[in-house]
Amino acid sequence: MQKDTLCLGLLSLGPRSGYEIKQMFEGPLSDFYSLSFGTIYPTLNKLQDEKYVSCKQLSQSKKPDKKVYTITKKGKDLMKDNLLGDASAYIRSGNFGDQIKSEFFLLLLFAKYLPQETLDTVLNERVLFLRQKLEQFKYDGPVPSDLQALRNEKSVAFIRGLATALIESGLNYMEKNRGKLN
Amino acid sequence: MQKDTLCLGLLSLGPRSGYEIKQMFEGPLSDFYSLSFGTIYPTLNKLQDEKYVSCKQLSQSKKPDKKVYTITKKGKDLMKDNLLGDASAYIRSGNFGDQIKSEFFLLLLFAKYLPQETLDTVLNERVLFLRQKLEQFKYDGPVPSDLQALRNEKSVAFIRGLATALIESGLNYMEKNRGKLN
DNA sequence: ATTATATATATCATCCTGATATAGATACCC
DNA sequence: GGGTATCTATATCAGGATGATATATATAAT
């Protein structure tokens, strides 16, 4: 999916600044996709130039000004068109996997070259990390208003449930089988 | 993990060509990490210049020549040093997650903008893909000789078991809950 | 004879990331 | 008060990885 479509998609959930879009990638979307500031800001400027989004400078008390972008009708049309094209391309491509770069699995792969103590720490930290993730995906309390729209999506409920199931089975496996690494 | 260390690590399993390293990333490692030709070939040349690997030109019948790289003592030392440094960096970084870019999850996220039929196809293809993956991870028969070393690693048994558990729980969840997307 | 496919190496433009710069504002501490 | 650290916020850019492309040999298919 191209960055334009992705940014438009996130703005379709409600007006946001570039910084807030980045926060979504660092937070609730971090396990699925990410874009850097160096991509987000130029993309928003381009989308604004081409009238796919409008921009309001917003003064805030206690914080610097921010530029809040709102998706336009033209932007929504482009987004829907592009999403349809992306879905078709995904289907046609025959490549249904995700692009993953996992430092953790590489360290596991070469575990025999690591001191037992180091490997133990790596595994312990990973387990703690996954337990935290699990809490986050299960958490059902109030969220910041700009994330509420995300939370309300039907698809997000499905995704959170899936993530929960995956993490639980992963943790379960690791607890029962980490002895195999020794 | 830097590309040098990763290539050395793969060569530590046995001599290989750049093309064969790429095949590992396309095959058994595809769910964990990947490097492109544009990274692999220059890396191997650099490692050879600095005597971390040696290179033999190999004539093959029925195939073009290939350059088979073998890790040297110096290379193994560097690899072990770097792996230790990478593990320490991983622990110190506080970032224990993986870097993921998932077209599938983005399409799910924006599912409400897709026709039901398109979404169905996306999900069906993903399920078929995961079933194939599952077969691959479970498969215990003979493998090409250059992949046997990988298969023999203790850590690989652990990783394959983990991948199997994850995929099974993911498939199970999707079968039971895909109605939630409608 | 031509097209397609697989093996094999190499290079390069394009694009993205990670780092850095800048800046306003708050908060803590001595 | 002054120093430092942190958070919010936007922007830019060097460096590096990817995806595409080029080249070449050999087999298989049409």
Side-chain angles (χ1 to χ4, degrees):
Chain A
M1 186 175 302
Q2 63 211 31
K3 57 201 166 159
D4 308 52
T5 315
L6 180 47
C7 287
L8 287 173
L10 295 181
L11 289 176
S12 81
L13 299 166
R16 273 165 176 67
S17 68
Y19 190 78
E20 286 162 343
I21 288 178
K22 178 64 175 166
Q23 280 181 317
M24 295 179 79
F25 284 123
E26 306 266 287
L29 299 181
S30 65
D31 299 295
F32 310 111
Y33 216 91
S34 185
L35 292 178
S36 68
F37 282 128
T39 298
I40 294 168
Y41 284 122
T43 298
L44 289 173
N45 287 328
K46 202 198 90 187
L47 288 172
Q48 187 186 359
D49 287 348
E50 294 163 359
K51 313 282 183 196
Y52 296 120
V53 302
S54 65
C55 175
K56 270 178 298 187
Q57 188 99 16
L58 217 100
S59 298
Q60 304 181 104
S61 66
K62 315 218 174 195
K63 285 176 193 175
D65 292 4
K66 65 177 171 181
K67 293 181 178 177
V68 175
Y69 295 89
T70 306
I71 191 168
T72 63
K73 171 71 166 58
K74 192 183 170 194
K76 264 189 190 164
D77 290 343
L78 180 69
M79 176 194 68
K80 287 174 193 169
D81 273 11
N82 285 355
L83 282 176
L84 210 41
D86 289 335
S88 305
Y90 179 75
I91 291 164
R92 267 179 291 118
S93 76
N95 177 22
F96 305 105
D98 303 327
Q99 190 203 306
I100 301 179
K101 299 226 167 176
S102 172
E103 181 79 6
F104 173 70
F105 277 103
L106 290 187
L107 289 175
L108 272 198
L109 183 59
F110 302 123
K112 69 171 168 186
Y113 298 119
L114 294 176
Q116 183 65 47
E117 188 205 332
T118 306
L119 180 59
D120 277 341
T121 309
V122 166
L123 284 162
N124 289 339
E125 293 289 2
R126 177 78 169 193
V127 166
L128 288 175
F129 167 80
L130 289 175
R131 292 215 185 103
Q132 265 181 280
K133 276 280 169 201
L134 191 56
E135 290 306 308
Q136 287 167 24
F137 279 117
K138 280 180 156 172
Y139 173 75
D140 229 0
V143 292
S145 61
D146 61 321
L147 293 183
Q148 190 57 49
L150 194 64
R151 181 63 75 83
N152 290 341
E153 291 290 309
K154 247 189 309 185
S155 58
V156 167
F158 177 84
I159 292 170
R160 288 173 66 205
L162 176 52
T164 301
L166 290 172
I167 296 174
E168 276 174 350
S169 86
L171 278 171
N172 192 44
Y173 179 89
M174 287 175 74
E175 276 156 25
K176 284 190 181 144
N177 296 280
R178 63 182 283 178
K180 287 188 184 161
L181 288 169
N182 302 328
Chain B
M1 186 174 302
Q2 62 211 31
K3 57 203 166 160
D4 308 53
T5 315
L6 181 47
C7 287
L8 287 173
L10 296 181
L11 290 175
S12 81
L13 298 166
R16 274 164 175 68
S17 68
Y19 190 79
E20 286 163 343
I21 288 179
K22 178 63 174 167
Q23 281 181 317
M24 296 179 79
F25 284 124
E26 305 266 288
L29 298 182
S30 66
D31 299 296
F32 310 112
Y33 216 90
S34 185
L35 291 179
S36 68
F37 281 128
T39 299
I40 293 169
Y41 285 122
T43 298
L44 289 173
N45 287 328
K46 204 198 89 187
L47 288 173
Q48 187 186 359
D49 287 347
E50 294 163 358
K51 314 281 185 198
Y52 296 120
V53 303
S54 65
C55 177
K56 272 178 297 189
Q57 189 99 15
L58 218 101
S59 297
Q60 305 180 103
S61 67
K62 314 217 175 196
K63 287 176 192 175
D65 293 2
K66 63 178 172 180
K67 293 181 177 176
V68 175
Y69 295 90
T70 307
I71 190 166
T72 64
K73 171 72 166 60
K74 193 184 169 194
K76 264 189 190 163
D77 290 344
L78 180 68
M79 177 195 66
K80 287 175 194 169
D81 274 9
N82 285 356
L83 282 176
L84 209 40
D86 288 337
S88 305
Y90 180 74
I91 292 165
R92 267 179 289 117
S93 76
N95 177 22
F96 305 105
D98 304 327
Q99 191 202 304
I100 301 177
K101 299 226 169 177
S102 171
E103 182 80 5
F104 173 71
F105 277 104
L106 290 187
L107 289 175
L108 272 198
L109 183 58
F110 301 123
K112 69 172 169 185
Y113 299 117
L114 294 176
Q116 183 66 47
E117 187 204 332
T118 306
L119 179 59
D120 277 340
T121 309
V122 166
L123 284 162
N124 289 339
E125 293 289 3
R126 176 78 169 194
V127 165
L128 288 175
F129 167 81
L130 289 175
R131 291 214 186 105
Q132 264 182 280
K133 276 280 168 199
L134 191 56
E135 290 307 306
Q136 287 168 22
F137 279 117
K138 280 179 156 173
Y139 173 74
D140 230 1
V143 293
S145 61
D146 61 322
L147 292 183
Q148 190 57 47
L150 194 63
R151 180 63 75 84
N152 291 339
E153 291 290 309
K154 245 190 311 184
S155 58
V156 168
F158 177 85
I159 291 170
R160 288 173 66 206
L162 177 51
T164 302
L166 290 173
I167 296 174
E168 277 174 349
S169 86
L171 278 171
N172 193 44
Y173 180 89
M174 287 174 74
E175 275 156 26
K176 284 190 181 145
N177 296 281
R178 64 183 282 180
K180 288 187 182 162
L181 287 169
N182 303 330

